[in-house]
Amino acid sequence: MDQQTASSSRAPVTPEILVPRLGESLVNHGLLTEARLQQSLDLQKERASEGQPILLGQAIIELGFLDRETLDRAVTEQIILLRQALEDANRNLERRVQDRTAELQEALQKLAEMNQLKSNFIANVSHELRTPLTHVKGYIELLFSESLGPINEDQRNALDVSQRATNRLQGLIDDLILFSLASRGELTLRLAAVDLRKIAGDIIVRALPKADDKQIRLSTDFEASLPLVMADEQKITWVLTQLLDNAIKFTPAGGQVVLEAKKDVSVEMIRVAVTDTGIGIPEERFTEIFEPFHQLDGSSTRRYGGTGLGLSLVKQIVEAHGSIVRVKSEPEKGSTFSFPLLSAASEKGGA
């Protein structure tokens, strides 16, 4: 098909093409009858079948139902009405967006206030519990040491259970206080050169009784000549203790838990990891385990205890060190939680 033929097969570009349902508008304004509109549509269809498409307005003029001036005026009025309708719709949409934005901002503000109230409540309750618990622990220790008089074997066993329960409660209160500080952005770090071998040794000693009770092999794997790392010793100790306790808790009898520290691919980083042969975690649920107060098994009959705060705090503390917790796990085979820490030697070199 040559250019001239192609051009003749297309309808000319006029303002009419901007007006949808032109025929209906002309009828509504009394400029055209339904019968004449149908005649015009029939002519338009006929021309299209002949390969010479025309617009409806052209058909109306050709049949003599309207002149060009009247049609153009009607089209212009319709375009103005459409533009006004579009502007009204845009204003309405803008107003709705503003209203919804205001509602979302109000909801976010309320959520922030609720989170603040929750953090304050947790902090206040935790501090209020700490004082009487200190007294309870003190008197249990006095009784256990027979400072207040001799005790028999049954009493000693009862005090031993009470002492372990109060120690667990003390740990829970400390976790709640730490969580409230992290939630309010008040988690502070005292960075210094830390010897991972030393703190790992202390952690292993404290964790051995739990591991022995479950017949779990507990070991360390530290690279020779491991440099010191830049960290908050108290908080990194808490992180490693938490990861080790979790590994022991979720590893069945006869399993193994390893605490390791080795130079990362970059010699400036030390990769710290806790690996177990426990129950494992499905990959699609990795993000859930770091949510506060969340347990993968949330039923009232769940097998494993805990508040669901541990890994959430681990994540926040590690991220406060400028690092990130990585998880590798496979159900029924075990898990590895790892994170890199900056070498103290590289920090001094950079300084």
Side-chain angles (χ1 to χ4, degrees):
M1 181 182 295
D2 58 30
Q3 185 174 359
Q4 183 176 358
T5 305
S7 298
S8 65
S9 66
R10 292 195 297 265
V13 178
T14 70
E16 180 188 337
I17 65 174
L18 301 176
V19 181
R21 307 177 70 88
L22 175 62
E24 183 179 328
S25 174
L26 293 173
V27 171
N28 290 337
H29 285 82
L31 297 175
L32 202 66
T33 64
E34 290 281 358
R36 287 187 170 185
L37 172 60
Q38 188 58 53
Q39 285 180 268
S40 303
L41 291 171
D42 291 342
L43 177 59
Q44 187 183 29
K45 187 182 297 184
E46 180 184 335
R47 291 294 174 83
S49 65
E50 295 172 354
Q52 297 179 337
I54 59 174
L55 295 173
L56 177 61
Q58 290 175 283
I60 293 171
I61 292 172
E62 187 173 326
L63 291 170
F65 296 151
L66 290 177
D67 57 36
R68 169 56 67 182
E69 183 180 353
T70 303
L71 179 65
D72 287 348
R73 185 168 57 251
V75 168
T76 302
E77 290 174 356
Q78 190 67 12
I79 289 175
I80 292 172
L81 290 174
L82 288 171
R83 185 179 67 183
Q84 291 174 344
L86 181 60
E87 290 173 351
D88 290 343
N90 284 339
R91 281 193 294 270
N92 184 48
L93 178 60
E94 184 177 351
R95 185 169 58 253
R96 289 174 61 189
V97 169
Q98 289 174 344
D99 292 344
R100 183 55 59 88
T101 301
E103 290 173 5
L104 289 174
Q105 288 175 339
E106 184 180 356
L108 286 172
Q109 180 64 30
K110 288 182 179 179
L111 183 60
E113 291 173 359
M114 290 177 63
N115 282 334
Q116 185 65 42
L117 286 173
K118 181 183 70 175
S119 298
N120 292 341
F121 174 76
I122 291 172
N124 292 336
V125 169
S126 301
H127 282 291
E128 289 299 318
L129 288 173
R130 176 178 275 179
T131 300
L133 180 61
T134 300
H135 294 156
V136 172
K137 288 183 66 178
Y139 280 110
I140 289 177
E141 290 171 3
L142 284 174
L143 291 169
F144 201 81
S145 63
E146 299 188 1
S147 298
L148 300 180
I151 57 175
N152 59 38
E153 192 61 28
D154 289 339
Q155 292 169 330
R156 183 175 296 279
N157 290 336
L159 287 171
D160 181 57
V161 171
S162 299
Q163 193 171 51
R164 282 188 276 115
T166 54
N167 287 339
R168 183 182 174 191
L169 185 56
Q170 179 70 60
L172 173 59
I173 292 172
D174 291 342
D175 290 354
L176 287 171
I177 292 173
L178 188 59
F179 173 76
S180 67
L181 290 173
S183 298
R184 294 180 300 192
E186 298 175 7
L187 189 65
T188 57
L189 300 180
R190 294 182 175 86
L191 296 178
V194 175
D195 185 349
L196 286 176
R197 286 181 180 277
K198 178 180 178 300
I199 64 174
D202 295 338
I203 293 169
I204 292 294
V205 168
R206 291 196 298 270
L208 271 174
K210 292 181 184 177
D212 289 342
D213 286 345
K214 293 187 66 176
Q215 299 178 334
I216 292 172
R217 298 189 304 278
L218 191 57
S219 62
T220 58
D221 183 9
F222 278 63
E223 187 173 314
S225 305
L226 191 70
L228 303 181
V229 296
M230 289 302 299
D232 182 313
E233 181 170 348
Q234 182 181 15
K235 290 185 174 62
I236 284 298
T237 299
W238 187 94
V239 165
L240 294 178
T241 300
Q242 183 66 43
L243 290 177
L244 211 61
D245 284 349
N246 269 7
I248 294 170
K249 179 166 66 173
F250 293 107
T251 299
Q256 183 174 7
V257 174
V258 180
L259 171 58
E260 61 178 296
K262 297 180 180 180
K263 290 180 182 178
D264 210 331
V265 177
S266 167
V267 293
E268 296 182 351
M269 305 297 290
I270 308 301
R271 178 181 177 273
V272 185
V274 174
T275 301
D276 64 59
T277 57
I279 60 174
I281 308 160
E283 185 175 356
E284 65 272 13
R285 306 194 71 180
F286 281 1
T287 55
E288 290 181 48
I289 62 177
F290 294 107
E291 295 175 8
F293 302 106
H294 182 78
Q295 296 272 4
L296 291 188
D297 178 9
S299 66
S300 59
T301 58
R302 65 174 184 259
R303 178 180 176 185
Y304 303 98
T307 61
L309 275 178
L311 288 178
S312 175
L313 284 171
V314 164
K315 181 175 182 287
Q316 293 183 72
I317 292 172
V318 170
E319 288 179 352
H321 281 78
S323 186
I324 185 171
V325 181
R326 294 183 175 86
V327 184
K328 288 184 179 180
S329 186
E330 190 174 345
E332 308 305 327
K333 290 190 176 180
S335 306
T336 296
F337 288 80
S338 65
F339 57 91
L341 290 174
L342 187 64
S343 165
S346 66
E347 179 72 10
K348 290 179 181 179

